[in-house]
């Protein structure tokens, strides 16, 4: 057994620096024996980890058997969490893969920032090429753990961004992309990621009108939340879905749980007093308590920097609907006029459609303005 690290051993260097060649049987045996010694495993335990029996592991370590295909070496690499080049897999695709994973994670993070800053269309433009590349790699048989995790997050990010820029009749597409991300959560073995996937898919289901599924996914997200921050991220979305479903009991219970966390969990773009106020107003209206909503509508908190720009549009439309219920036509007109302008700038067709419904026949000029803005956006998307 060498006393120096394997990466500095002359024979090791000779094996790993030859591009597109698998290791010799002697080199692979050296690696497996060294791995067992470092991790305190016997041959039986190593065989269980790799899916091989003890006899086969012994033959590999003694150089009596060799592995000649890259797929099997990739399997060993993934199971032992060794970089592919450590097993002699040093072709250009692996270098490209490492760069893609590194920059792909950055792309997902930056796209989320862009979406929350009111630039969802830019987020879509950044994410879909990444998703395409990752899915192509998966189809080629390269299902490394880190690729599955990154692809899951990229699919969800793409779905959520699409949920901002697509009109209502196409929101099922956004829900489908988040479902594809949720399907990969089982491979991540990460409660935070599982909760995130359930939250995002549940919210897109609600927006697409699949309300029962939305409540189911979001209830599960609350149940699997590993800490208060994760619960705080799920509870407002569950409250919105419960209100949309017309379940007053679930809505009240959920909004109360969210209220209890408001003072102890850092505020985010979703979990903050401004967003909570809008969720409460809409939920009360959706569950038939419009008079209570009217009484609360005039005492909303001022938006802060933590509030995502689209939340201002969402809140204006919700408050306008309550104003109309209270026969405050002038106030509703002012709120909806502002919402049309902001929804146009942020390219939010779904919110323009909410404005059309809210204005209805009571505010025909506002409805026509929202219709014109929506037609322009659809023309730009089709171009």
């Amino acid at each position: 057994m060498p006393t120096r690290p394997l990466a500095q051993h002359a024979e090791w260097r000779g094996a790993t620096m030859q591009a597109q060649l698998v290791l010799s049987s002697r080199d692979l045996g050296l690696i497996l024996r060294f791995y067992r010694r470092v991790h305190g495993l016997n041959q039986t335990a190593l065989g269980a980890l790799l899916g091989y029996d003890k006899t086969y592991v012994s033959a590999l370590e003694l150089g009596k058997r060799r592995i000649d295909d890259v797929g099997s070496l990739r399997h060993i690499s993934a199971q032992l969490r060794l970089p592919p080049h450590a097993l002699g897999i040093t072709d250009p695709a692996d270098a490209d893969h490492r760069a893609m994973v590194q920059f792909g994670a950055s792309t997902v993070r930056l796209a989320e920032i862009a979406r929350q800053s009111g630039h969802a269309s830019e987020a879509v433009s950044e994410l879909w090429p990444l998703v395409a590349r990752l899915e192509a790699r998966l189809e080629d048989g390269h299902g490394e753990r880190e690729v599955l995790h990154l692809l899951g997050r990229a699919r969800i990010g793409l779905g959520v961004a699409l949920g901002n820029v697509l009109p209502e009749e196409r929101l099922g597409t956004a829900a489908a992309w988040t479902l594809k991300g949720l399907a990969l959560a089982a491979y991540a073995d990460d409660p935070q990621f599982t909760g995130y996937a359930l939250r995002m898919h549940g919210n897109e289901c609600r927006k697409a009108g699949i309300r029962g599924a939305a409540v189911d996914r979001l209830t599960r997200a609350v149940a699997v939340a590993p800490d208060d921050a994760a619960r705080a991220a799920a509870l407002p979305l569950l409250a919105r879905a419960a209100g949309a479903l017309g379940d007053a009991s679930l809505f009240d219970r959920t909004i109360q749980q969210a209220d209890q966390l408001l003072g102890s969990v850092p505020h985010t773009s979703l979990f903050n007093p401004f967003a909570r106020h809008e969720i409460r107003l809409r939920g009360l209206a959706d569950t038939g308590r419009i008079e209570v909503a009217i009484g609360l509508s005039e005492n909303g908190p001022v938006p802060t920097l933590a509030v995502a720009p689209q939340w201002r549009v969402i809140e204006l439309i919700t408050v306008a609907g309550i104003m109309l219920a209270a026969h405050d036509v002038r106030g509703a007109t002012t709120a909806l006029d502002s919402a049309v302008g902001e929804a146009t700038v942020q390219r939010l067709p779904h919110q323009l459609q909410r404005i059309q419904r809210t204005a209805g026949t009571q505010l025909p000029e506002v409805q026509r303005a929202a219709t014109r803005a929506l037609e322009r956006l659809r023309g730009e998307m089709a171009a």
Side-chain angles (χ1 to χ4, degrees):
M1 181 62 59
T3 56
R4 291 173 293 166
L6 284 180
Q8 298 176 12
H9 195 273
E11 294 179 358
W12 174 270
R13 288 203 308 271
T16 58
M17 292 178 66
Q18 296 180 55
Q20 301 183 9
L21 293 179
V22 298
L23 294 183
S24 70
S25 57
R26 179 174 178 274
D27 291 323
L28 181 57
L30 175 69
I31 292 168
L32 295 179
R33 287 198 304 274
F34 190 83
Y35 183 89
R36 286 200 300 107
R37 181 169 296 184
V38 169
H39 293 278
L41 301 176
N42 57 29
Q43 290 180 338
T44 300
L46 180 61
L49 182 60
L50 296 175
Y52 304 150
D53 60 37
K54 176 182 180 296
T55 303
Y56 187 60
V57 171
S58 176
L60 289 173
E61 291 190 0
L62 293 173
K64 295 180 179 180
R65 297 290 299 270
R66 63 176 294 145
I67 294 179
D68 294 318
D69 65 288
V70 174
S72 294
L73 288 174
R74 287 188 186 277
H75 167 72
I76 294 173
S77 168
Q79 292 302 107
L80 303 187
R81 299 194 176 184
L82 296 173
H85 66 80
L87 296 181
I89 309 170
T90 57
D91 56 58
D94 288 299
D96 180 65
H97 160 67
R98 290 192 294 274
M100 180 175 60
V101 170
Q102 178 183 354
F103 291 106
S106 297
T107 297
V108 172
R109 288 193 299 270
L110 291 173
E112 177 65 11
I113 292 171
R115 182 186 67 81
Q116 292 187 3
S117 300
H119 302 284
S121 57
E122 286 85 345
V124 172
S125 297
E126 290 290 335
L127 286 169
W128 75 257
L130 174 64
V131 171
R133 290 188 66 193
L134 291 170
E135 293 196 341
R137 185 170 180 84
L138 191 61
E139 289 176 3
D140 287 340
H142 304 310
E144 300 92 343
R145 182 186 182 89
E146 59 188 356
V147 169
L148 294 176
H149 191 275
L150 178 58
L151 177 57
R153 287 194 172 274
R155 283 174 171 175
I156 292 169
L158 178 59
V160 174
L162 285 170
N164 282 358
V165 303
L166 292 178
E168 288 178 339
E169 61 271 19
R170 294 182 57 197
L171 287 178
T173 300
W177 276 109
T178 55
L179 178 60
K180 289 183 177 182
L182 177 60
L184 293 178
Y187 296 96
D189 192 25
D190 179 350
Q192 290 284 0
F193 179 46
T194 299
Y196 167 74
L198 287 166
R199 292 197 307 270
M200 297 300 98
H201 178 54
N203 195 46
E204 294 308 318
C205 284
R206 176 193 62 80
K207 291 164 61 177
I210 315 171
R211 294 167 183 167
V215 169
D216 172 75
R217 305 301 188 272
L218 291 164
T219 300
R220 287 166 55 193
V222 173
V224 303
D227 51 43
D228 281 350
R231 291 182 68 243
L235 285 169
L237 297 178
L238 176 56
R240 294 176 85 186
L245 192 63
D247 189 334
S249 176
L250 178 60
F251 171 79
D252 290 344
R253 187 165 63 252
T254 305
I255 203 74
Q256 183 179 20
Q257 291 172 356
D259 288 346
Q260 292 170 351
L261 291 175
L262 197 60
S264 59
V265 174
H267 293 175
T268 65
S269 60
L270 173 65
F271 191 73
N272 60 73
F274 186 83
R276 182 195 59 169
H277 180 67
E278 190 280 335
I279 291 170
R280 190 187 300 276
L281 292 179
R282 200 192 311 194
L284 288 169
D286 286 343
T287 54
R289 292 172 286 182
I290 190 67
E291 293 299 327
V292 180
I294 291 171
L296 294 175
S297 63
E298 297 181 357
N299 299 313
V302 176
T304 65
L305 293 177
V307 178
Q310 57 265 35
W311 270 99
R312 176 58 180 161
V313 180
I314 293 168
E315 191 262 355
L316 283 168
I317 301 169
T318 297
V319 169
I322 292 170
M323 287 177 171
L324 284 175
H327 308 294
D328 182 359
V329 175
R330 178 176 296 180
T333 300
T334 300
L336 290 178
D337 282 341
S338 297
V340 169
E342 293 192 29
T344 301
V345 170
Q346 295 182 45
R347 302 171 61 86
L348 303 174
H350 171 43
Q351 299 307 326
L352 288 169
Q353 289 170 306
R354 281 190 67 211
I355 294 170
Q356 287 178 312
R357 288 196 303 276
T358 301
T361 58
Q362 292 180 274
L363 303 176
E365 287 298 323
V366 173
Q367 188 182 61
R368 282 193 287 270
T371 299
R372 289 193 297 268
L374 182 60
E375 289 173 350
R376 286 196 297 272
L377 281 186
R378 283 176 167 163
E380 292 170 5
M381 292 172 65

